[in-house]
Amino acid sequence: MKPRNRPQKQAARLRWGAGLIAACLTLFACSDPEPSGPPDDGPVRVDPPAGWDSDIAPPTAEDLDPSPGIVEVALEARLATREILPGVRTEVWTYNGGIPGPTLRARRGDRLVVRFTNHLPEPTTVHWHGLRVAAEMDGTDAAQQPVRPGETFVYTLDLLDAGTYWYHPHVHSSWQVGYGLYGAVVVEDPEEPFLGDDLVLVLSDIGIEEDGTLTPGNDSGWFGDYFGREGNVLLANGKVLPTLRGRAGVAQRWRIVNAARSRYQRLSVPGQQMVRLGGDGGLAEKALPVDEIVLAPGERAEVLIIPRPQPDGAVRVQWRDWDRFHIGTLRDPVDLFTFALTEDAPVDATVRVPERLRTIEPVSLSNPPVQRLELMEKSVDGTGVLGINGLTASEAPPLMAHAGVNEVWELTNSTAYDHPFHLHGFFFQVLDIDGVAPAVREWRDTVNVRPGTRVRMAIQFDNRPGMWMFHCHILDHADLGMMGMLHVMP
Ligand SMILES: [Cu+2]
């Protein structure tokens, strides 16, 4: 083992301390009082350590079409045997053999063509969570016949917006997602400033029994549906405690997806400062320094992290509990992955994190239609079910909206626990939660609704008519009835 040169390290720390103060001073030095023009320059680009993400990053799907502007990928849902727990073989459900499936990477304006084949033992679909696709490509059973075993379906997706999205089944979805079917979609914007070396982090969980078999997707019956099933094994990109490497002072841009069927992810990186860059629909208008990131199922966050030196060179990035049942107790933190820093001297070039990342206009509203949705529970023949406005998914007629007519939706939650509300196909901006506007303006497709609160959101109904869905993204809750259809008419 290489002996450590303490005095040199301490000197490096002192230099870094000075650099950090400079960095803090310039952290938001580039903000404009009146946002206009292109965003400011981002951090200085410095090569990360060799192999920095090789243990943790998911593979990227190969582009099979050489034409510019078209990214074509082959995606196959199939069973595969993986060693998720050391020495234990588990047959999981995968896209292309891995958990998560391959990251699909393209640029804004590209057409993404996905040749999807189903080799699962049951029908499935692929839903493109957050992407503003055509209604017939949304991958729900409202949009298409499920793809039966052995069949192929071609999804054609025109990528309108940069950001971090994800894909997963939308039939039998709690079960199929719980068994491992999910992957990230990254849409890059060539005009965005460099904001750090890009890492996709798909966070999830999975239920694995002592003999290595998967916990049945309908484990615990009604209780599992009602409480939302959480797997006993937490996964960062399909792995238990993988290692990410970094160099002090070299920026990383984490694109985090919560792909768990029910589990909230509250991510903390002890000893490090995170800057939240954006969420579901790409960059927010402004960067925001944060101590933790909370993601309800379905949500994403983009986070900039410029690692500071650590006394022992490594931090454990932690999952922390979120009290979604409001019972007043939290489970112990769980280590998700190791963030190991090299012994290279910290890069103390002046770090420039632009405060203003993007200009986002408020959703245009003039005397908008207002729809009120109460997330609620009721009893049917002595069994608790979940629904919206008194009706379960199977009872409710579709809501109506019109392409080109933006709306305000008011969500309330009369149950005793949280529900992450997801709208397919259209971005919205949260106007306020109990009258308090969010700290930054951003595009979203999922918002957590806490008990007894009122979330007001403005939906931009651009011209993509068709039948869409909205539901709680605790997928077990969607199965228990908290789901509805939305007919967007031309
Ligand atoms: Cu729910």
Side-chain angles (χ1 to χ4, degrees):
M1 196 178 147
K2 192 175 143 196
R4 288 188 174 178
N5 187 330
R6 288 272 164 206
Q8 200 177 7
K9 276 182 80 84
Q10 275 162 9
R13 244 174 254 152
L14 287 173
R15 278 205 310 281
W16 170 249
L20 188 67
I21 291 164
C24 292
L25 290 175
T26 57
L27 188 63
F28 291 141
C30 323
S31 61
D32 282 346
E34 295 287 326
S36 63
D40 308 300
D41 294 337
V44 178
R45 194 189 289 262
V46 176
D47 283 343
W52 66 287
D53 64 347
S54 57
D55 187 48
I56 193 171
T60 298
E62 183 190 355
D63 179 6
L64 304 171
D65 188 327
S67 350
I70 299 180
V71 173
E72 183 175 328
V73 300
L75 194 68
E76 186 184 56
R78 63 168 189 255
L79 306 190
T81 300
R82 312 286 301 174
E83 192 178 303
I84 292 174
L85 295 173
V88 179
R89 292 162 68 79
T90 301
E91 188 173 61
V92 292
W93 295 30
T94 75
Y95 291 114
N96 293 8
I99 296 182
T103 301
L104 313 185
R105 259 185 202 274
R107 292 176 154 202
R108 184 170 56 81
D110 283 353
R111 170 166 287 188
L112 176 60
V113 179
V114 182
R115 296 196 171 277
F116 173 69
T117 308
N118 180 14
H119 287 304
L120 300 174
E122 62 181 41
T124 191
T125 58
V126 189
H127 166 56
W128 310 96
H129 185 124
L131 289 173
R132 294 193 297 144
V133 301
E136 61 271 23
M137 291 292 141
D138 194 42
T140 66
D141 56 359
Q144 68 174 109
Q145 288 292 327
V147 184
R148 289 179 298 190
E151 286 183 349
T152 292
F153 187 91
V154 179
Y155 291 95
T156 303
L157 316 170
D158 290 317
L159 304 175
L160 306 179
D161 312 283
T164 305
Y165 307 94
W166 65 297
Y167 59 95
H168 64 81
H170 218 282
V171 293
H172 209 189
S173 54
S174 186
W175 177 292
Q176 294 190 1
V177 169
Y179 282 179
L181 287 169
Y182 37 81
V185 182
V186 173
V187 183
E188 297 170 352
D189 185 343
E191 290 171 15
E192 269 177 18
F194 174 75
L195 290 167
D197 294 304
D198 200 296
L199 175 74
V200 166
L201 278 172
V202 178
L203 307 182
S204 63
D205 61 18
I206 195 163
I208 300 181
E209 304 291 304
E210 273 183 21
D211 63 358
T213 56
L214 289 176
T215 303
N218 57 354
D219 185 45
S220 305
W222 175 85
F223 286 95
D225 287 336
Y226 187 78
F227 291 104
R229 297 175 179 85
E230 299 190 359
N232 57 330
V233 180
L234 274 72
L235 300 175
N237 286 336
K239 292 185 173 183
V240 176
L241 212 55
T243 298
L244 168 67
R245 300 175 72 234
R247 179 176 172 185
V250 177
Q252 298 189 358
R253 177 180 184 174
W254 294 355
R255 297 174 177 269
I256 311 169
V257 179
N258 184 1
R261 66 196 293 193
S262 296
R263 183 185 292 269
Y264 283 59
Q265 311 278 352
R266 185 174 184 181
L267 193 79
S268 85
V269 190
Q272 303 288 341
Q273 174 71 65
M274 292 187 277
V275 179
R276 187 179 180 280
L277 299 171
D280 295 343
L283 299 179
E285 197 160 49
K286 291 178 178 177
L288 208 61
V290 292
D291 293 327
E292 62 178 22
I293 294 286
V294 179
L295 294 179
E299 285 190 297
R300 285 88 66 209
E302 294 195 32
V303 172
L304 173 78
I305 187 157
I306 302 169
R308 301 174 202 163
Q310 287 297 302
D312 60 357
V315 282
R316 296 290 180 101
V317 176
Q318 288 183 325
W319 172 90
R320 286 173 178 270
D321 201 3
W322 174 257
D323 189 9
R324 65 184 169 98
F325 298 109
H326 303 271
I327 50 178
T329 58
L330 295 175
R331 291 169 287 181
D332 289 338
V334 178
D335 293 339
L336 282 181
F337 62 92
T338 302
F339 190 15
L341 302 186
T342 64
E343 293 198 352
D344 299 316
V347 173
D348 57 2
T350 305
V351 178
R352 286 165 61 87
V353 183
E355 180 187 13
R356 186 173 56 79
L357 299 168
R358 177 185 181 186
T359 300
I360 298 177
E361 300 295 337
V363 173
S364 163
L365 298 170
S366 68
N367 202 16
V370 176
Q371 309 223 39
R372 293 183 178 86
L373 281 73
E374 181 198 355
L375 312 178
M376 39 63 68
E377 63 180 39
K378 65 174 184 176
S379 174
V380 174
D381 300 330
T383 301
V385 296
L386 299 174
I388 298 172
N389 290 350
L391 300 172
T392 64
S394 59
E395 297 166 340
L399 296 184
M400 300 288 187
H402 289 86
V405 180
N406 300 334
E407 297 194 353
V408 171
W409 286 19
E410 292 186 5
L411 309 176
T412 54
N413 175 1
S414 60
T415 75
Y417 38 94
D418 290 12
H419 301 285
F421 181 88
H422 170 50
L423 173 64
H424 283 219
F426 298 92
F427 282 156
F428 57 82
Q429 293 170 3
V430 171
L431 298 173
D432 66 80
I433 298 177
D434 284 344
V436 179
V440 293
R441 186 176 296 138
E442 62 184 309
W443 293 112
R444 309 181 70 139
D445 54 60
T446 307
V447 61
N448 192 46
V449 188
R450 310 200 80 192
T453 61
R454 187 189 66 166
V455 175
R456 290 173 65 242
M457 59 195 234
I459 307 172
Q460 183 158 287
F461 282 115
D462 54 305
N463 190 21
R464 286 170 302 112
M467 192 64 86
W468 302 89
M469 302 186 86
F470 51 87
H471 57 91
C472 176
H473 219 286
I474 292 176
L475 294 173
D476 295 305
H477 287 178
D479 285 352
L480 207 53
M482 196 174 275
M483 182 150 72
M485 309 270 268
L486 172 70
H487 189 188
V488 177
M489 288 170 290

